[in-house]
Amino acid sequence: MNASSDPLNQSASASPVKPSINSPSVPQVALDPWKTQFGTEALFPLANEGKGGELARAIEDLKIPDLRVISAEGWRALYSRDQADVPDLLRNVLFRSMPGVVVQPFSVDAVSKVLLFATSRRLPIVVRGAGSSSFGGSMPVKGGIVMDMNAMDRVLDFDATKGMVKVQAGMRWSDLDWFLEKYGLMAQSSPSSRFSTVGGWVATGGIGIGSVSGGHLSRWVSELEVITSDGQVRVLRPSDKPFKSLFGSEGRLAVIVSVTLIARPKPKAPFPALVFFDDQAKALRYASFLAQAKTPPLDLTYYSPGKFEAFNRILGRSHFPAKHGVMWCYENKDAVPSCTAVPSGARRADTYLASLIWNERFFPMKFRKLGPGLMGSEVMVPKEHLPEVVSQADKVSRQHGLSPLMEVHFMPGGDGLLLTYYTTDQAKLMRYTMDSFRGLLISSALMEVGAKPYSLGVWNNMFSDQAKEGDLADAKAELDPADIMNRGKYPRLKGRLGGLPAAMFSPGVMGSALRLVNRAGPISAPAIKMISSAKAFDRVGDDMLLRTADECSMCGACVGVCPAYLLTKDERVTARGKLLAARQFTLGDDISKEHAHRIFLCMRCKACEQVCQSKLHLIDAYDEMEKRLEKKHGKDEEEIKRFVTLAEQSPAYDALVERGLVLGASAKAVQGGK
Amino acid sequence: MYERYHVPKNEMPPMGEPFSKSSVIRDARCMNCGRCKDACIFSVHERSAADPRVMADPKSYLCKNCLRCVEDCPQRALSVELSRSYLELGGGLWTPQRVVTIWNEAWTGKVPVFGAGYRGKFSGTGYDSMWTDMSEIVRPTRDGIHGREFISTSVDLGKRVDYLEFDASGRLITKMPSFVEIPIPMILDLTRLDLTAQAKTGLMQAAKALGTMFIAPAEGYLPNGRNGSMVPLFSAGNTASRYDLSNPKMVEMEYSPDWASDLKALKERFGGIPVAVRIQAKSGIERLAVELASSEADVIHILYDEQSQESDGRLAKDSLMAVNRALANVSLRERVSIIAGGGLAAAEHVPKSLLCGADAVTMERALKVALGCHACAVCDKDRCTVDQNGITSDWSKWRAVNLVGAWRDQLLEIMGAMGVREVRRLRGEIGRAIFYEEIEKDAFANIKGGV
């Protein structure tokens, strides 16, 4: 075959991009030495036993270089869910959420070859980043292949003068910021889960912290490199037609392999403030006004009184009044415009409270600890509907006996992303199950007063927006004619049993049902409440391990800092993975011996504890977990020894240690740093 | 056949938990990365044997205070501080560092490593105010000192004649005085040591193993400890005491106003071997030394206290130099050998004593310290934490051999660096030493307002 006509060859030449550094101020060093740059062979060899089935074997038989094929059952199970707590009942009965096989590509070429394979068999393929969304977008509904992009996490190119940085899709936002910080730069905005991947945020939305000044993510992405289902590499620029469609496409168009971003200078002394209002409408009007100003703030967020109450509970003291708060932040003190003047009746909070809230902006999931459990609804709200939607969210939540934790992230111009969270208790099965419907009820009620869907995934599928779907259908026809990308969710959700149960989530069925329930609110809410309070299925007793697992916010902050993950690229070794397993076996569902042994691969570095936003006592939990697992499955001391030896010899681990494991720890732990 | 002198060593760890000079502290920031393990060449940091994922508690007692682990720790989780029990050790001349050094020398027989460099003060009292001239320090190699290059540490104790006389036929007619040669200028003196019988037996065996001698009272010792290395000490007026070892190499007597008759009696009883006179150092010692040197006495054993002082305060360093000079002034220096004892708390004190005029030294408290003594400023039996009862003779022997061996190795190092191949040449060689008082004068005397 002629090399130039071979699409695989073309992509191969594009895959291992050598860092080219254009600015003379940048030292000629590896851009991110702590990252996996050695391909699959540098990974700690893990047993991959288990019922992989025909599909895994078929992919293994292709002997694709730079590709890890994951077939073990316990390992695959991690990929059957995302951050959301969805009662198993919903997930497993309605859908085939267990992937047939999981692949981890380490190069563009490997991505391309897997796509060709999937196309040849018309297999659904679900691309997964950090799994930190909570609407099921990365959850399989018809089995198939899950492609884990986390091993492609490098900086490919960087130009300090232009602020241009090209990263692989599996790069985490926290790592990107760490990289940019050295050059005095930062991302223009980031998702509220900083531990999610760059590719993942492109696919799921693009609105988050800093959007009010940076705008939608698509405004500061200059190039996307994607692989389409025919295995071809396509480079898309803002002028290209499908470019826009990829943002929020939720993995149904193509596999994003690299993203080129334009960073902005990092302010040296950002100046945050917090303004309290008695009246919700006034607070929103004030925020809206700032969002529409000529120079919008770096950050602008509205917080509901419930959010501040939750803060007080976490902090163990009443620092905040239970009022409506608007938090803004400008480049520096001098950049604060006069339009921020506090209106009459409002009050500026103390500086330390503002700083506290501003620093906590990346950790929205820590409130999960209060349940333990956190669920919610996320909707886009056009500015003209904002006051009504927010007050509706409050009203509907309260109808259901929930105290909502609401926040609105603003866009330039004043539109907002409304997050309405509420705590649930995973130990109370009926309440927990009913609570997961309440989120849908809230979303549905908000759509009625003008809100628009943000992320669809599985659970918000019924809210899909017809106009947007049209656009996406065109792009899909162009990029994925084989219809393999995230098949089975859009435009109509499919699942098990001929798709019948899944049809419940379709706009026609569930949409109208929800509307109906909402309209009958005064009657239906107490009815749901009554069902929720049934105690028959509640867990009895208190298991420290299970409680810790329940309190885990599943945010994945621990994944990026975990040296064991660095060496294995197996999420089961991370805190999140371990706690998932802990929940499984404490609830009586045993895990395999092979899986149990993974749990022991740990350097006890405590980095996970340090980044844990729920402040869990993870090391205690590991000790307890290991004690129980050892009793049942023993432990593979030889493997642990080999693992520790590999870690000590691994240059990647060495670089991670040098970096201080936890971002910036070594420089800031001691005055003056090293 | 000639056999090079060599001290065999045998690692002899302390009884019970080894002492920790430093407390190496690993705090909660530790992330078990293992960098300290690579940094430490003394194996303070190791992974836990039970669970290799975590670092074991640091073995503080192995720490040499080099702080490399502290430097290398990416988490700044390590700190090293001197332990409280270390700071409480010893007293006066017997600094905590010297006590611990002796312990380590007795354990391993190795030249001590101090690790963190010398950070002053650059002078002190006594021997701390003098340095040996190490102008040849670049020349010897380790292989040189211990291999190709031969450095003798043998000394002779006894009288020397000023000249030899021969008759017409060329036969030697000078009556040669008796002397004893020992391979190291160090003698073990057990007389003033309060130790168990087992411990003392071990020290006696050590003296034999080292080829040197030990001094012990002629009476009252366990017979099984006696061996040919013993120098029996006769108290004043008791020169006829029963002593059943027939062939001592040397005997010693206590000085008393009637010393002359005791000396005569011993000379008669043990004809042909040197007799040492043991004398407490006090002011006027140099006059006494001249008197003894003019007599039949072969060796003068001058005792200082364990702070290296005469009974009225003059330092051994100055005292020995005064004795040496006094004897030299009357041309009697070769007529007598001088042994200095007391206040030898470190290996460097051996060559320094020799430079000030001694032919050999006795080791006393250092031996007790080698057996675990803390060298407290005031020895209080009620508060003593050292359990002597567990000491076996074998342990005691090897601890002492290791200590003496380590001191001899350091003597070799110093001599190598000085370019001196014969320890006899060190005696009174103050020209090869530097004294703080003198260089201070050299540097500042001409400056107005200077010394």
Side-chain angles (χ1 to χ4, degrees):
Chain A
M1 189 188 280
N2 186 325
S4 59
S5 69
D6 177 5
L8 295 190
N9 248 335
Q10 270 177 15
S11 58
S13 64
S15 67
V17 184
K18 290 247 160 52
S20 70
I21 300 162
N22 305 322
S23 161
S25 65
V26 181
Q28 295 285 327
V29 292
L31 287 169
D32 46 357
W34 69 92
K35 290 295 175 56
T36 315
Q37 44 185 302
F38 309 97
T40 45
E41 72 278 5
L43 293 177
F44 183 69
L46 291 174
N48 193 12
E49 70 192 35
K51 302 162 224 83
E54 189 273 333
L55 187 51
R57 277 196 302 279
I59 295 188
E60 270 163 3
D61 287 346
L62 294 176
K63 301 210 184 313
I64 301 173
D66 294 334
L67 185 79
R68 178 150 76 176
V69 181
I70 295 166
S71 54
E73 209 176 343
W75 200 344
R76 272 186 293 142
L78 280 177
Y79 296 89
S80 65
R81 59 165 290 170
D82 58 14
Q83 187 184 347
D85 284 314
V86 177
D88 293 348
L89 174 83
L90 280 175
R91 191 153 48 95
N92 295 340
V93 175
L94 299 183
F95 306 107
R96 199 134 50 92
S97 60
M98 181 74 148
V101 67
V102 177
V103 291
Q104 252 179 353
F106 283 70
S107 72
V108 171
D109 198 23
V111 173
S112 176
K113 287 194 166 125
V114 172
L115 283 176
L116 281 176
F117 171 79
T119 303
S120 71
R121 291 208 181 189
R122 275 208 87 232
L123 287 165
I125 182 157
V126 181
V127 187
R128 184 183 174 100
S132 59
S133 172
S134 47
F135 298 101
S138 57
M139 182 190 107
V141 289
K142 289 169 75 71
I145 304 173
V146 166
M147 183 180 277
D148 174 356
M149 298 299 288
N150 280 285
M152 293 176 70
D153 59 355
R154 299 173 54 197
V155 177
L156 296 176
D157 199 359
F158 175 61
D159 184 336
T161 50
K162 292 183 193 150
M164 189 276 304
V165 61
K166 182 177 181 181
V167 298
Q168 286 183 315
M171 177 104 186
R172 283 162 205 274
W173 288 98
S174 50
D175 286 348
L176 177 62
D177 267 342
W178 183 82
F179 173 80
L180 292 173
E181 196 180 358
K182 286 180 289 194
Y183 306 99
L185 299 170
M186 63 183 268
Q188 308 223 18
S189 64
S190 62
S192 57
S193 167
R194 286 181 85 213
F195 314 102
S196 58
T197 63
V198 171
W201 201 33
V202 170
T204 53
I207 301 172
I209 296 159
S211 288
V212 71
S213 58
H216 189 268
L217 175 63
S218 60
R219 281 193 11 198
W220 50 284
V221 167
S222 62
E223 198 178 284
L224 289 172
E225 192 183 4
V226 301
I227 315 284
T228 47
S229 54
D230 54 4
Q232 298 262 22
V233 182
R234 291 199 49 179
V235 176
L236 299 172
R237 302 207 167 75
S239 54
D240 296 324
K241 198 169 167 251
F243 180 83
K244 258 258 153 54
S245 307
L246 272 154
F247 290 85
S249 62
E250 304 194 3
R252 62 186 123 154
L253 296 182
V255 180
I256 301 161
V257 286
S258 82
V259 181
T260 309
L261 306 159
I262 306 300
R264 55 170 294 160
K266 187 181 167 80
K268 288 197 172 64
F271 185 80
L274 180 61
V275 185
F276 282 115
F277 294 81
D278 290 324
D279 182 58
Q280 187 181 60
K282 274 187 186 158
L284 288 168
R285 206 177 312 134
Y286 174 69
S288 204
F289 181 59
L290 295 185
Q292 291 170 55
K294 212 155 67 193
T295 4
L298 281 180
D299 251 329
L300 182 64
T301 315
Y302 157 85
Y303 293 110
S304 72
K307 182 94 181 182
F308 291 113
E309 277 166 3
F311 261 120
N312 287 338
R313 277 172 68 196
I314 291 256
L315 295 168
R317 236 182 94 184
S318 291
H319 288 282
F320 297 100
K323 292 187 174 184
H324 303 273
V326 173
M327 190 271 291
W328 50 252
C329 178
Y330 286 89
E331 292 261 346
N332 54 56
K333 205 170 176 175
D334 300 330
V336 179
S338 54
C339 62
T340 57
V342 176
S344 66
R347 186 174 65 80
R348 271 275 283 275
D350 290 340
T351 321
Y352 81 97
L353 292 179
S355 297
L356 197 142
I357 287 285
W358 192 64
N359 282 309
E360 288 289 331
R361 70 198 186 284
F362 291 124
F363 310 110
M365 295 313 289
K366 65 163 47 165
F367 301 100
R368 187 166 159 150
K369 202 170 178 171
L370 300 173
L374 194 68
M375 292 174 164
S377 130
E378 295 183 2
V379 291
M380 277 302 301
V381 192
K383 66 176 177 232
E384 61 275 16
H385 297 298
L386 204 51
E388 197 187 346
V389 171
V390 176
S391 79
Q392 175 81 342
D394 193 60
K395 196 181 101 197
V396 177
S397 307
R398 289 190 195 283
Q399 234 169 41
H400 287 286
L402 306 168
S403 342
L405 283 62
M406 293 188 287
E407 54 190 86
V408 179
H409 295 273
F410 287 86
M411 295 286 292
D415 292 353
L417 174 66
L418 167 66
L419 313 180
T420 310
Y421 289 122
Y422 49 88
T423 55
T424 181
D425 187 345
Q426 295 165 84
K428 301 198 169 72
L429 187 65
M430 282 318 281
R431 180 181 156 194
Y432 177 43
T433 309
M434 294 319 289
D435 272 353
S436 53
F437 280 106
R438 284 171 165 144
L440 300 176
L441 287 167
I442 293 170
S443 295
S444 167
L446 300 184
M447 304 293 176
E448 289 203 10
V449 289
K452 298 261 178 280
Y454 176 59
S455 191
L456 297 179
V458 170
W459 316 115
N460 282 346
N461 205 273
M462 69 289 270
F463 304 126
S464 60
D465 182 332
Q466 293 311 316
K468 199 179 173 200
E469 287 305 317
D471 276 357
L472 273 166
D474 291 348
K476 182 136 180 125
E478 184 183 342
L479 299 175
D480 181 28
D483 188 21
I484 55 166
M485 301 301 303
N486 217 351
R487 195 173 74 217
K489 284 181 203 155
Y490 319 94
R492 257 190 73 192
L493 194 62
K494 298 187 178 70
R496 286 198 154 156
L497 312 170
L500 259 179
M504 279 168 49
F505 285 88
S506 70
V509 179
M510 183 66 101
S512 359
L514 290 177
R515 273 194 294 280
L516 213 64
V517 176
N518 269 327
R519 289 200 185 119
I523 307 162
S524 58
I528 294 176
K529 209 167 177 177
M530 207 172 70
I531 303 171
S532 318
S533 57
K535 291 201 167 58
F537 302 100
D538 293 355
R539 287 180 209 148
V540 249
D542 182 31
D543 183 338
M544 160 267 194
L545 197 50
L546 185 55
R547 200 177 57 237
T548 309
D550 282 344
E551 286 174 3
C552 167
S553 65
M554 296 284 152
C555 68
C558 46
V559 179
V561 297
C562 180
Y565 181 70
L566 177 84
L567 297 168
T568 58
K569 287 276 181 255
D570 178 353
E571 266 215 42
R572 289 177 300 173
V573 305
T574 66
R576 179 163 76 168
K578 285 180 188 177
L579 290 177
L580 270 176
R583 184 181 300 170
Q584 191 180 334
F585 72 74
T586 48
L587 290 175
D589 203 356
D590 198 20
I591 62 173
S592 71
K593 183 174 178 172
E594 181 264 337
H595 187 168
H597 287 176
R598 291 294 81 74
I599 307 270
F600 289 85
L601 300 185
C602 169
M603 293 297 284
R604 285 293 192 274
C605 67
K606 302 188 280 277
C608 47
E609 253 185 13
Q610 289 190 51
V611 297
C612 180
Q613 53 176 300
S614 303
K615 304 244 183 311
L616 302 177
H617 297 287
L618 292 169
I619 302 296
D620 293 346
Y622 299 164
D623 288 343
E624 177 62 27
M625 204 186 291
E626 287 176 7
K627 211 168 71 197
R628 293 189 204 175
L629 289 174
E630 192 179 347
K631 213 177 273 171
K632 183 134 194 169
H633 298 289
K635 69 172 171 181
D636 189 341
E637 294 195 18
E638 277 311 305
E639 185 180 72
I640 294 171
K641 247 181 238 166
R642 276 205 313 278
F643 169 72
V644 172
T645 312
L646 176 89
E648 287 187 340
Q649 291 166 359
S650 153
Y653 174 71
D654 217 37
L656 185 79
V657 167
E658 199 50 59
R659 185 178 135 186
L661 281 187
V662 179
L663 302 183
S666 80
K668 287 168 190 163
V670 175
Q671 188 133 35
K674 201 160 182 180
Chain B
M1 203 189 128
Y2 167 74
E3 220 174 280
R4 176 172 283 208
Y5 178 73
H6 172 72
V7 179
K9 288 163 192 157
N10 191 4
E11 288 233 347
M12 204 44 68
M15 291 180 300
E17 172 79 2
F19 182 82
S20 305
K21 171 180 173 178
S22 312
S23 301
V24 183
I25 299 158
R26 178 192 301 285
D27 73 25
R29 278 174 295 188
C30 171
M31 58 184 186
N32 296 304
C33 69
R35 287 236 177 146
C36 48
K37 192 184 75 151
D38 296 338
C40 185
I41 58 168
F42 302 105
S43 309
V44 171
H45 301 285
E46 294 290 346
R47 290 197 171 272
S48 155
D51 183 353
R53 300 172 303 176
V54 300
M55 298 301 299
D57 284 339
K59 286 185 189 150
S60 290
Y61 64 87
L62 294 174
C63 178
K64 302 291 179 205
N65 243 330
C66 72
L67 306 184
R68 209 175 141 191
C69 59
V70 176
E71 271 286 294
D72 278 12
C73 178
Q75 289 290 103
R76 299 280 173 123
L78 293 172
S79 53
V80 176
E81 51 189 53
L82 291 177
S83 66
R84 193 187 158 83
S85 49
Y86 171 76
L87 295 169
E88 285 172 355
L89 281 178
L93 177 73
W94 298 80
T95 59
Q97 166 137 307
R98 283 178 174 148
V99 173
V100 169
T101 301
I102 289 172
W103 286 344
N104 289 334
E105 287 165 333
W107 179 349
T108 64
K110 287 178 182 156
V111 174
V113 177
F114 293 113
Y118 188 59
R119 52 177 176 180
K121 304 182 286 189
F122 288 90
S123 176
T125 54
Y127 290 126
D128 288 345
S129 71
M130 70 181 280
W131 305 279
T132 56
D133 163 14
M134 301 218 186
S135 51
E136 306 275 343
I137 200 160
V138 291
R139 192 174 57 85
T141 59
R142 193 152 300 276
D143 178 48
I145 295 172
H146 298 277
R148 293 188 312 270
E149 188 165 352
F150 180 71
I151 299 182
S152 165
T153 55
S154 288
V155 289
D156 306 318
L157 299 175
K159 269 192 192 310
R160 278 162 193 274
V161 289
D162 296 332
Y163 48 85
L164 296 175
E165 277 183 285
F166 301 89
D167 64 10
S169 62
R171 232 178 6 199
L172 181 68
I173 55 170
T174 309
K175 185 170 171 268
M176 290 303 287
S178 58
F179 68 88
V180 56
E181 183 182 351
I182 46 174
I184 44 172
M186 288 173 271
I187 297 167
L188 315 190
D189 186 354
L190 317 189
T191 330
R192 297 197 283 190
L193 297 182
D194 178 23
L195 288 170
T196 60
Q198 282 287 316
K200 280 189 176 168
T201 303
L203 295 181
M204 295 173 190
Q205 290 166 357
K208 188 172 172 69
L210 289 161
T212 183
M213 305 185 288
F214 69 90
I215 305 169
E219 300 170 60
Y221 261 74
L222 292 173
N224 65 356
R226 293 181 171 172
N227 58 45
S229 302
M230 176 159 168
V231 177
L233 170 65
F234 295 90
S235 52
N238 288 320
T239 51
S241 292
R242 196 174 65 85
Y243 177 67
D244 52 12
L245 259 176
S246 50
N247 54 346
K249 292 177 192 149
M250 188 169 98
V251 293
E252 189 162 302
M253 54 170 272
E254 293 272 15
Y255 173 83
S256 71
D258 297 329
W259 62 273
S261 59
D262 283 353
L263 178 62
K264 192 159 171 260
L266 283 176
K267 279 274 170 191
E268 276 166 20
R269 184 173 169 189
F270 299 98
I273 61 165
V275 177
V277 179
R278 181 184 181 90
I279 183 164
Q280 292 290 338
K282 55 184 177 200
S283 53
I285 180 78
E286 50 271 56
R287 280 195 303 282
L288 216 48
V290 170
E291 194 182 339
L292 287 168
S294 323
S295 75
E296 287 291 295
D298 304 279
V299 179
I300 307 174
H301 184 176
I302 306 174
L303 296 180
Y304 298 96
D305 68 11
E306 287 297 359
Q307 295 300 327
S308 189
Q309 288 174 355
E310 291 181 350
S311 55
D312 35 19
R314 184 161 61 157
L315 293 165
K317 178 195 76 163
D318 301 320
S319 170
L320 276 174
M321 284 199 286
V323 168
N324 195 48
R325 202 175 308 117
L327 289 172
N329 284 345
V330 293
S331 303
L332 288 176
R333 184 60 189 91
E334 297 299 334
R335 291 283 183 85
V336 74
S337 294
I338 294 173
I339 302 173
L344 279 98
E348 71 190 57
H349 292 160
V350 178
K352 284 179 174 177
S353 297
L354 303 189
L355 283 166
C356 287
D359 289 271
V361 297
T362 51
M363 296 177 67
E364 293 183 76
R365 186 187 271 183
L367 295 171
K368 195 172 174 185
V369 172
L371 303 186
C373 170
H374 288 211
C376 301
V378 178
C379 186
D380 182 349
K381 283 211 155 175
D382 296 333
R383 290 175 55 200
C384 186
T385 54
V386 183
D387 179 19
Q388 278 200 36
N389 293 321
I391 297 178
T392 64
S393 59
D394 196 53
W395 186 80
S396 167
K397 169 190 163 183
W398 284 111
R399 294 281 290 188
V401 170
N402 289 342
L403 175 68
V404 175
W407 282 25
R408 179 187 183 256
D409 284 345
Q410 290 168 77
L411 181 62
L412 289 179
E413 295 279 351
I414 287 178
M415 288 168 65
M418 293 176 77
V420 175
R421 297 178 186 209
E422 262 258 47
V423 82
R424 296 177 178 98
R425 296 282 302 272
L426 280 186
R427 190 195 70 191
E429 190 68 35
I430 53 175
R432 297 302 306 276
I434 301 157
F435 294 88
Y436 178 74
E437 297 87 338
E438 286 176 16
I439 55 169
E440 192 185 36
K441 210 179 278 174
D442 283 353
F444 300 111
N446 297 333
I447 301 170
K448 198 177 176 194
V451 184

